[in-house]
Amino acid sequence: PPRLDFLAVGAHPDAGQFDDPLALPSLTHLTALHHLACHQCDAQQLVAALPVLHHLTFLDLHGCDLEDTELQLQPLSALVSLMLPGCGLSQVPPGLLACTRLTELELSHNPLGDSQLSLKGLTRLQHIGLASCNLRVFPGLPEGGLPQLTFLSLHGNAISAHLPAQHKGLLELF
């Protein structure tokens, strides 16, 4: 199989919206892929390929419509960066907590609302983007906190200011 390590396709996020998502060929033969960035691409082909892309460490699906897909993250335990902004997600994809190597998680501009967002077990997170997700409660965090966290974006949400005692230090990041 091809030894392609890095693949970036689709529109640049600042270029505006396409009328139709970019159609992709099958990606299942790209098993050596480490970095995949698909902006405003056809989500069905992407989701079908993910179970065999075990080596992915970076996944950016900016603007891909994932609302009606069955995105499963369990096979992607090597992920370090997961970028899913503006993907129409109403809940966090199953298997997110299996991605324990994540240092960067971007879910901004998804209508997550009252979905029970839990980040427990994702203790390596340094970047969390949850802007404009219609959140009303603070996400569940690991018991020991997030000692490596340097970026937290929660603007555009109606989250109450009450935080559990073990996470009061996060207020210093705002």
Side-chain angles (χ1 to χ4, degrees):
R3 301 292 306 161
L4 188 65
D5 182 63
F6 183 103
L7 177 63
V9 295
H12 187 277
D14 296 334
Q17 291 290 111
F18 284 155
D19 289 335
D20 295 310
L22 178 66
L24 296 173
S26 173
L27 302 174
T28 57
H29 62 289
L30 300 176
T31 57
L33 206 57
H34 284 93
H35 185 114
L36 177 60
C38 294
H39 296 185
Q40 299 178 31
C41 296
D42 177 23
Q44 295 300 330
Q45 286 289 1
L46 290 168
V47 170
L50 290 178
V52 298
L53 301 178
H54 303 288
H55 298 291
L56 276 182
T57 57
F58 180 92
L59 179 62
D60 182 354
L61 303 182
H62 190 113
C64 294
D65 184 5
L66 299 173
E67 182 178 7
D68 295 322
T69 65
E70 302 218 2
L71 178 64
Q72 297 285 329
L73 297 175
Q74 288 94 336
L76 304 178
S77 61
L79 275 181
V80 173
S81 179
L82 179 61
M83 312 294 277
L84 302 174
C87 291
L89 296 170
S90 58
Q91 61 184 3
V92 175
L96 175 66
L97 298 181
C99 300
T100 58
R101 295 181 185 181
L102 278 179
T103 60
E104 185 173 29
L105 177 63
E106 182 61 63
L107 295 173
S108 294
H109 305 287
N110 284 294
L112 297 173
D114 290 329
S115 66
Q116 296 298 315
L117 178 59
S118 174
L119 304 177
K120 295 179 190 270
L122 302 179
T123 58
R124 297 181 185 187
L125 285 173
Q126 298 171 15
H127 172 115
I128 302 173
L130 294 168
S132 301
C133 290
N134 302 324
L135 297 175
R136 289 188 216 137
V137 295
F138 201 77
L141 297 176
E143 287 302 316
L146 294 166
Q148 298 175 32
L149 191 66
T150 58
F151 178 89
L152 176 62
S153 176
L154 293 168
H155 69 273
N157 294 297
I159 296 175
S160 68
H162 176 71
L163 288 177
Q166 71 266 32
H167 304 304
K168 293 286 187 194
L170 289 176
L171 293 176
E172 297 171 11
L173 295 172
F174 292 103

